[in-house]
């Protein structure tokens, strides 16, 4: 081996790699983020090697102390990462060698970078699932606070972004609490499924050393070792699940973000964002832009892009490890960073956002939002079949529209001219407030139902 060849694997090499080879091969630029998990994995591995008598206790002790020194150097920023050493695993091992000499060379017994990196990334993604779930919980709490404050504020509910039926602000907020709950549960499911340990699968086939995989698995908080060594080093489905679950979270947040953009516009004025979550324009002094909401909306593209990126890397890869798998990390890191950021930004926006109940009520009372209530009244009070009631109500809406009026502004005579069964009692159901109060079915928008949900969720989230 010449001096140029890689010290960690260059035994059979005469020359070092071309600069381009080094550039395409190296992952240290990004996988240094795995440092802490890599060292945790190595600590568990070394302890197991000593416990099984594969290395001596004194070597294990030297390795342990050396690794802790490496960790503190990395954490204090004094560690010098080298591209020539390719990745985080070899950077750490090479430095360990400098610190403690010979025992460092025994750390890689009964291990390969293939099971090592699979273990590191699982540990990293597992932590990220926990962090994302915590971020979701914080956002849910902010939404529940909004829901409680506005449990009985009426607003227009939309379909096709056309006024449909009145709903309550609280009900709208709680819809997102439910969506986010499924998101948290998806991340939790992924976390449970990924919680098996690849360490000890070695390069691909296992090892002839008498290792104790249960010991390393439990030391690292995994439920059990993975049962197939090829699967352990070859699959990244746990990362795909994390990315897919993250993309769904982001998709949900992008819908709320879009609503905030619409609601905060001068045409709607349903909500105003706080100064802390708005930006001005350098040319138009009147502007308050919902940039944070727009960026939450846009980052969905990035997170979904990471998912698509890794799916594409994985498809068609023959077992077991191929270097393609090194491309898993940047997708995971970028998506995870973006996800944490959008969750935090959305939580801040929702916390600070103030809805205007008067504007909401006015909007809820226009656009013939209580037409269904009128049709339902005809069914209930006049015994009409729903289709006939629908038709009569449609004619009343057309009449009101022609006169540029709301339904409640029509005279009784006008209403009777469309259907003789109509009496003055009908006015009771034409207001947006009575409309929402009447929607008491389970899961409906009535303030009392919303308050029940708020109480339930407060408990769940405490
Ligand atoms: N840096 C590599 C990765 O991230 C580590 C595994 C390398 N294994 C190998 N056989 N070259 O995938």
């Amino acid at each position: 081996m010449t001096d140029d060849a890689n010290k960690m694997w260059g035994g059979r090499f005469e020359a070092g790699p071309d600069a381009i080879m080094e550039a395409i091969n190296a992952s240290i630029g990004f996988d240094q983020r795995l440092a802490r998990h890599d060292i945790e994995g190595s600590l568990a591995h070394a302890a197991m090697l000593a416990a099984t008598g594969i290395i001596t206790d004194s070597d294990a002790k030297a390795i342990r102390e050396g690794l802790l020194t490496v960790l503190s150097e990395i954490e204090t920023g004094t560690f010098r990462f080298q591209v020539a050493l390719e990745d985080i695993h070899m950077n750490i091992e090479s430095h360990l060698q400098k610190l403690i000499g010979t025992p460092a060379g025994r750390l890689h017994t009964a291990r390969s970078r293939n099971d090592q990196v699979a273990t590191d990334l699982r540990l990293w993604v597992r932590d990220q699932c926990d962090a994302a779930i915590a971020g979701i919980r914080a956002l849910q709490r902010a939404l529940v606070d909004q829901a409680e404050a506005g449990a009985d504020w009426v607003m227009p509910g939309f379909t096709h972004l056309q006024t449909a039926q009145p709903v309550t602000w609280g009900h709208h907020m709680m819809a997102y609490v439910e969506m986010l709950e499924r998101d948290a549960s998806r991340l939790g499911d992924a976390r449970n499924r990924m919680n098996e340990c690849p360490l000890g699968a070695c390069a691909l086939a296992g090892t002839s050393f008498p290792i104790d995989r249960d010991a390393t698995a439990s030391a690292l908080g995994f439920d059990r070792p993975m049962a197939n060594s090829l699967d352990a080093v070859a699959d990244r489905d746990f990362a795909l699940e994390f990315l897919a679950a993250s993309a769904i979270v982001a998709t949900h947040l992008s819908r709320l973000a879009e609503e905030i953009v619409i609601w905060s516009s001068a045409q709607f004025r349903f909500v105003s964002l706080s100064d802390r979550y708005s930006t001005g324009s350098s040319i138009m002094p009147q502007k308050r832009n919902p940039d944070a909401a727009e960026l939450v909306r846009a980052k969905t593209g990035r997170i979904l892009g990471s998912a698509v990126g890794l799916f594409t890397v994985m498809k068609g890869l023959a077992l077991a490890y191929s270097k393609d798998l090194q491309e898993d990390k940047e997708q995971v890191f970028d998506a995870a960073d973006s996800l944490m950021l959008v969750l935090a930004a959305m939580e801040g926006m929702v916390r600070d956002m103030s809805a205007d109940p008067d504007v909401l009520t006015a909007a809820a009372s226009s656009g013939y939002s209580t037409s269904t209530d009128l049709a339902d009244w005809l069914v209930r009070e006049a015994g009409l079949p729903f289709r006939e009631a629908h038709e009569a109500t449609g004619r009343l809406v057309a009449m009101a529209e022609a006169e540029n009026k709301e339904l409640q502004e029509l005279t009784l005579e006008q209403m009777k001219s469309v259907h003789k069964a109509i009496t003055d009692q009908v006015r009771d159901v034409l207001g947006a407030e009575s409309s929402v109060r009447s929607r008491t079915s389970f899961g409906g928008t009535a303030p009392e139902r919303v308050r029940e949900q708020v109480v339930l969720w407060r408990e769940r989230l405490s």
Side-chain angles (χ1 to χ4, degrees):
M1 170 166 95
T2 71
D3 274 356
D4 290 345
N6 190 307
K7 304 260 184 326
M8 311 301 288
W9 48 249
R12 62 164 295 190
F13 286 79
E14 286 297 326
D18 188 88
I20 298 295
M21 176 61 209
E22 194 168 273
I24 195 173
N25 204 32
S27 53
I28 190 61
F30 47 87
D31 69 9
Q32 34 179 291
R33 292 184 70 172
L34 296 175
R36 189 168 54 79
H37 295 102
D38 191 69
I39 288 172
E40 276 167 22
S42 290
L43 289 170
H45 184 65
M48 179 279 290
L49 291 177
T52 50
I54 298 170
I55 65 172
T56 64
D57 285 339
S58 72
D59 280 347
K61 186 166 176 285
I63 290 171
R64 183 182 163 73
E65 281 161 10
L67 285 170
L68 292 176
T69 305
V70 175
L71 181 60
S72 82
E73 287 181 26
I74 291 174
E75 280 174 349
T76 55
T78 54
F79 192 94
R80 220 168 54 80
F81 294 103
Q82 291 176 60
V83 177
L85 290 166
E86 256 181 73
D87 58 22
I88 186 62
H89 324 292
M90 297 200 296
N91 269 270
I92 289 175
E93 196 187 316
S94 159
H95 192 56
L96 185 67
Q97 184 89 40
K98 285 202 187 88
L99 290 173
I100 66 167
T102 312
R106 302 198 204 283
L107 171 61
H108 215 50
T109 315
R111 186 177 78 170
S112 141
R113 274 188 296 155
N114 297 351
D115 58 338
Q116 191 178 353
V117 73
T119 305
D120 294 1
L121 192 63
R122 265 180 202 255
L123 290 170
W124 198 92
V125 176
R126 190 177 73 180
D127 280 356
Q128 211 52 48
C129 288
D130 293 339
I133 291 170
I136 288 174
R137 297 280 175 245
L139 173 55
Q140 283 178 309
R141 278 186 213 106
L143 288 160
V144 170
D145 288 348
Q146 282 284 351
E148 182 164 39
D152 54 10
W153 299 346
V154 290
M155 67 180 281
F158 298 94
T159 59
H160 315 268
L161 200 56
Q162 308 279 323
T163 301
Q165 294 172 355
V167 295
T168 49
W169 173 257
H171 199 50
H172 201 116
M173 294 296 108
M174 294 307 289
Y176 283 103
V177 172
E178 295 285 337
M179 293 181 225
L180 287 163
E181 185 58 21
R182 290 191 296 278
D183 290 335
S185 136
R186 250 183 296 275
L187 285 161
D189 288 347
R191 187 201 194 281
N192 289 341
R193 228 180 334 274
M194 79 180 64
N195 204 29
E196 293 189 329
C197 187
L199 198 60
C202 302
L204 74 165
T207 178
S208 56
F209 288 100
I211 59 173
D212 180 353
R213 293 194 57 205
D214 289 307
T216 41
S218 94
L220 294 169
F222 287 110
D223 296 329
R224 64 192 80 83
M226 291 182 78
N228 183 297
S229 61
L230 293 167
D231 173 41
V233 294
D235 208 359
R236 296 291 184 270
D237 59 349
F238 65 96
L240 293 177
E241 277 197 68
F242 171 72
L243 291 173
S246 300
I248 299 176
V249 180
T251 302
H252 283 152
L253 296 191
S254 77
R255 298 183 70 169
L256 179 52
E258 168 70 359
E259 296 197 310
I260 290 174
V261 170
I262 294 172
W263 292 343
S264 61
S265 68
Q267 288 67 29
F268 270 73
R269 295 187 187 284
F270 283 9
V271 302
S272 55
L273 293 174
S274 69
D275 286 355
R276 302 185 333 140
Y277 284 96
S278 313
T279 50
S281 156
S282 53
I283 174 166
M284 296 164 284
Q286 85 281 14
K287 296 274 271 182
R288 270 174 83 79
N289 293 330
D291 290 35
E294 293 163 64
L295 286 162
V296 167
R297 189 173 61 184
K299 286 206 191 279
T300 311
R302 205 168 160 139
I303 295 173
L304 180 60
S306 295
V308 174
L310 186 56
F311 271 101
T312 312
V313 166
M314 298 301 298
K315 74 165 284 298
L317 267 193
L319 302 190
Y321 179 88
S322 296
K323 199 64 176 258
D324 307 53
L325 293 175
Q326 181 164 284
E327 288 287 312
D328 57 0
K329 289 167 219 42
E330 282 172 294
Q331 306 289 6
V332 166
F333 294 155
D334 190 76
D337 291 344
S338 302
L339 181 65
M340 294 312 294
L341 194 55
V342 293
L343 281 168
M346 193 49 101
E347 189 213 336
M349 261 187 292
V350 169
R351 277 217 173 285
D352 281 16
M353 159 175 96
S354 53
D356 185 332
D358 296 333
V359 175
L360 293 177
T361 307
S365 310
S366 68
Y368 311 107
S369 66
T370 54
S371 301
T372 319
D373 299 84
L374 173 51
D376 287 348
W377 185 90
L378 286 167
V379 170
R380 214 171 35 238
E381 305 296 326
L384 264 57
F386 182 76
R387 280 293 155 226
E388 199 181 314
H390 183 285
E391 144 79 24
T393 307
R395 280 191 281 134
L396 281 166
V397 169
M399 177 185 282
E401 209 165 25
E403 299 194 11
N404 214 357
K405 286 177 171 168
E406 289 298 326
L407 283 173
Q408 50 273 46
E409 292 167 334
L410 293 174
T411 65
L412 184 58
E413 288 67 55
Q414 285 178 307
M415 294 204 232
K416 273 190 180 303
S417 76
V418 170
H419 205 289
K420 58 184 183 331
I422 298 179
T423 70
D424 231 9
Q425 291 330 105
V426 79
R427 299 202 187 279
D428 293 347
V429 302
L430 293 181
E433 254 134 53
S434 65
S435 169
V436 297
R437 262 201 312 276
S438 73
R439 301 267 195 278
T440 53
S441 55
F442 178 75
T445 194
E448 55 182 299
R449 290 288 94 86
V450 173
R451 288 203 179 90
E452 283 165 9
Q453 290 297 314
V454 165
V455 168
L456 212 132
W457 277 103
R458 278 231 182 284
E459 225 163 86
R460 282 190 199 159
L461 294 168
S462 69

